[in-house]
Amino acid sequence: MADKSKLIKTAYDELWRSTSDMTFVKDLNGVYVDVSQKFAEKLGYSSPDEIIGKTDLELFGDPEFVKRYTDDDARLLKSGGPLKDYIEPFPSRDGRPRYCLSSKYIIRDEDGNPTGFLGVSRDITAEYETRRAYENELRMLFDFPPDAPAAVLFDITEWRVVDACYRDERNQVVSRYSDIDDYFRNVVGCVVDDEGARDFFLSLTKEFFEKRFAEGRRNHSLEYLRRMPDGSERWVRDEFHLLLDPVNNNLSLIIILRDIDAEKREYSSLVIAAEHDALTGLLNRSATTKCIESYIAASSGTHALFMIDLDNFKMINDSLGHRQGDKMLSDAAAAIRKVFRSADIVGRLGGDEFMALMKDIPTRESVEKKATELISALQFSSGEGDNMLELTTSVGVSVFASGEQDFGSLYGEADTALYRSKMNGKNCYTIFDRNDIRTYRGLPAPVLENVNTEQLRALMEYMDGGVIMAEVSDDIKVTYVSPSLYRSFGRRFDQDSNQKIFSTVHPSDLPGLRAAVFEAAKSNDLTEYPYRVVYDDRTEWRSMRCKRIPDAEDGVSRVVAAIADITGMKRANDDLRDAEERYRTAAEQTEALLWEVDIPTKKLTLIGTAWGKTTRRTGIAYDVPDGYVQTGRIHEDFVDTYLQMIQDMFNGDDSRSYFYKVNESSGEETWIKDRFKLIRDEDGNLKRALGATQMIPNINAEMHSFEHEMKFVDIVKDSLLGYLRVNLTANALEEIFMKDDERYEIFRGMSYDFFHTAMDGNFVYSEDCGAMSQQMSREYNLELFRLGGGWRFIDYRHRMSDGSHRWVVVFIKLMRHPISGDVYAFGYFRDNELRRGWELSIDVALQRDTTMLLYTRLSMEILAKHIFSTLPTQKFVAVSVIEMVGLDAVKRALGEQELRDVIFTFGRLCRIAIGGDVVVGQLDEDKIVVVRADSDNDKNHRERIKGSMAILKEQLAQAHPDAKIGLVSGFAVEKVGGAVYAFLGRPP
């Protein structure tokens, strides 16, 4: 029996030394009698002998933490039974939070009386944190977003439906299915006209999801039109999220069904509007070109490209007005669309020009038939009585086989054929002939090659204007006047002799006209001269274009002159000058700030007297934009905005407004809004830009806050791990950097959605990707801002460039640009490894105050006590109290809003800018408390506090230069073993 007891004791001693569990024995007074080697190591001791004989209070220091263990002992004695398999925090000397799965038992003597306690614990920190992260991610994903009709949780490993949530009882369709196959088959039945989506759902298998998860592809989304339970059809997006259950190691899948019908239909309408001509409903020029180019590149077979032009359409606008012209264009477009098949591509190039691609033509005869149908369908008449106008159509066609030529060449061929139709008298079609070299080069046949004498005589009699031929020596002898010239005066050509033709010239203009003829006879240059004619009590304008005829054998100088009636043009020019004079006179009277840019000369002119009321009185600047920028009126931060405006102007884009800041000569800075409209000449070339400047009052205060946020990163940059600035509205990542990590540089200037997609797995620990992906998404932040959210913190594990992970906190500030209205997100990244560890080891939910966004007074006390309990007893901790002085003066001088901004900035600076292993909370409205866990002694800590105070003062002064805020502080330093937070945290 003795040998058996000895054997058992030997086995017990061996087990006690080698077990990986943390085991201990305490007597009824709470004194440790024996502990395992693992128990000692977890507490930071090298040997169990260093623990034996001590109590919990001597080991852990914190009375509140020790009370947890003594209460367990009391419950054991009261119940008489064991406490099994419960999770409790376990303090460690390295400061990192630990968790244990523990069981405790009563040790009894031979008579059954309690003599002590036996405890067995297993370190489950990794499993516990993994499970909490999984549950947090699951909660974050499964938390019902407002735009989600349903969310479903599947166990992929067991291939079953685990849970489902529905926003509306009518949407309860998933609950009828016990396995995923039934669910996916039901989805397939709800997909509307999308074979790709149906094939995707039918292809989903357990192996498919396991492979994607192994490849690191945890998230996927699919958009499709879905038939809802009430019979309606709505656009939805299924979002797939894969994650691993750390308890049973099963692969889980969450599908969130989001309703995107409104945004999808809005986007579709915008796409349609962008691609279609507003007047006719046909594809516009760019969309037509794009569609035809794409089809040509991918197709086979033979096709025909039609160029269609309405003949003499300008007469409709000139005679009947633009409204009737627009109706004619709309009717013509409808007729063209009706002639072609639904599969053919039909578009309006602009004005009265249309283009169509006839696909897969069987024969050339089918093209000719189609062209004949077009000519017949586009016969229109408009107006009434004497104002009735007939409208016909000319067509040019290029027939081609796929792969022969590119779109540009085919366009040129069809356009050349159209030109030949015009030359052939209009109202006809021409099919391009590549064997006709003149047609290929775009050269018409000589128009007079078959004209006989009778035809020429008829031409000279009935042409508009007229022709004069004359011999020039000491005088001008008219030898020929075309009958058409007499006709222009309402007379027969034989009523006057040729020599009296100059009698109709206005006396004031006759000397100049004669001088122009003599000048033409002396040179080979074309001479032009406008002059007036007077007849039948009428005064009209003519233009003479005179050219010397090569010398004849008799040596007489001869000239030929073409005379044109320019009365209408002259009157139009006079009207234009009058209109410009009226415009400039009106500009002098208006209060608007007007300006114009002469685009060919790049000259800027400030128009009107309203500019005199500003400090910018110089009326002209040359060589725009550089010449205007050099005046110094554009604020240096907005030169690029002004350059972009002028570039858009030169590119012909007048669709935008431009907001920027200008410098006044008084030294003030003013925000303005500029818009302009472009004027073109008859050929469509840019001529002038007319602009208006609008001063934006009462914007400086809002812009000050926004500009301060833009510059805040420069103030705290040295304390940050990284920074980003995103225009959420424009989906633009404007600025990003991360210390000692070049991986982020490539994303600057790209779309934010692209960067957001790249975050998962690359920059975020895989288990945090789900929650981080949602909270950092553009849609989530825009919705949060819409609901009033402006500032928050996100804790996550950051994947460093070397592959390691650290807890990081990102501070997100959401703001709207006061002028453009775009929503911005400013992100500040800070190392959070230790503080996050402390937070995770506390079961109590910590709270933050709403003003400074620091821990509340109560949460700060709970966290500080926990930190004290986790540190070795010989380590120094310091508690500092910092008070802001002068807040009342700021409120009186600068107002309530500036006071709130100062308090908010100070709280943010304390969280971001103070280095070291610190925790910051609020003590009172104007006081904060800082717990520093990496202190060493009173003298050194005093220097660190002085350094932190200097940083805070400097940064607060930079952020709010007009707010004269002082800072005072006090602190206490103690060893952890004797530290009491309530005493250390008393205000100085």
Side-chain angles (χ1 to χ4, degrees), residues 264 348 356 574 588 705:
K264 190 73 173 180
R348 181 189 178 198
D574 290 342
E588 295 296 326
S705 298

Side-chain angles (χ1 to χ4, degrees), residues 238-307:
D238 275 5
E239 297 179 353
F240 297 74
H241 304 276
L242 290 167
L243 57 162
L244 202 63
D245 189 330
V247 174
N248 56 21
N249 209 36
N250 282 2
L251 182 61
S252 299
L253 169 67
I254 291 178
I255 299 180
I256 299 176
L257 179 69
R258 294 188 183 273
D259 188 334
I260 60 170
D261 191 71
E263 63 185 77
K264 190 73 173 180
R265 296 188 187 276
E266 180 182 4
Y267 174 77
S268 298
S269 65
L270 291 174
V271 170
I272 292 173
E275 293 183 345
H276 286 72
D277 175 55
L279 176 63
T280 64
L282 298 180
L283 294 175
N284 58 29
R285 186 185 193 99
S286 61
T288 303
T289 302
K290 181 179 179 182
C291 289
I292 294 178
E293 285 181 330
S294 299
Y295 182 79
I296 291 174
S299 69
S300 59
T302 304
H303 320 285
L305 183 67
F306 286 72
M307 286 288 292

Side-chain angles (χ1 to χ4, degrees), residues 213-228:
F213 186 81
E215 293 172 348
R217 300 158 65 189
R218 301 182 55 195
N219 301 309
H220 180 75
S221 64
L222 177 68
E223 297 180 359
Y224 60 96
L225 188 63
R226 179 168 179 151
R227 186 174 294 104
M228 308 305 287

Side-chain angles (χ1 to χ4, degrees), residues 34 96 271 331 467:
D34 199 0
R96 298 187 61 184
V271 170
D331 292 344
V467 174

Side-chain angles (χ1 to χ4, degrees), residues 602-606 617-622 624 627-628 631 633:
K602 298 185 178 181
K603 183 178 79 170
L604 168 70
T605 304
L606 305 183
R617 301 186 181 183
T618 301
I620 296 177
Y622 297 94
V624 172
Y628 196 70
T631 65
R633 295 187 181 95

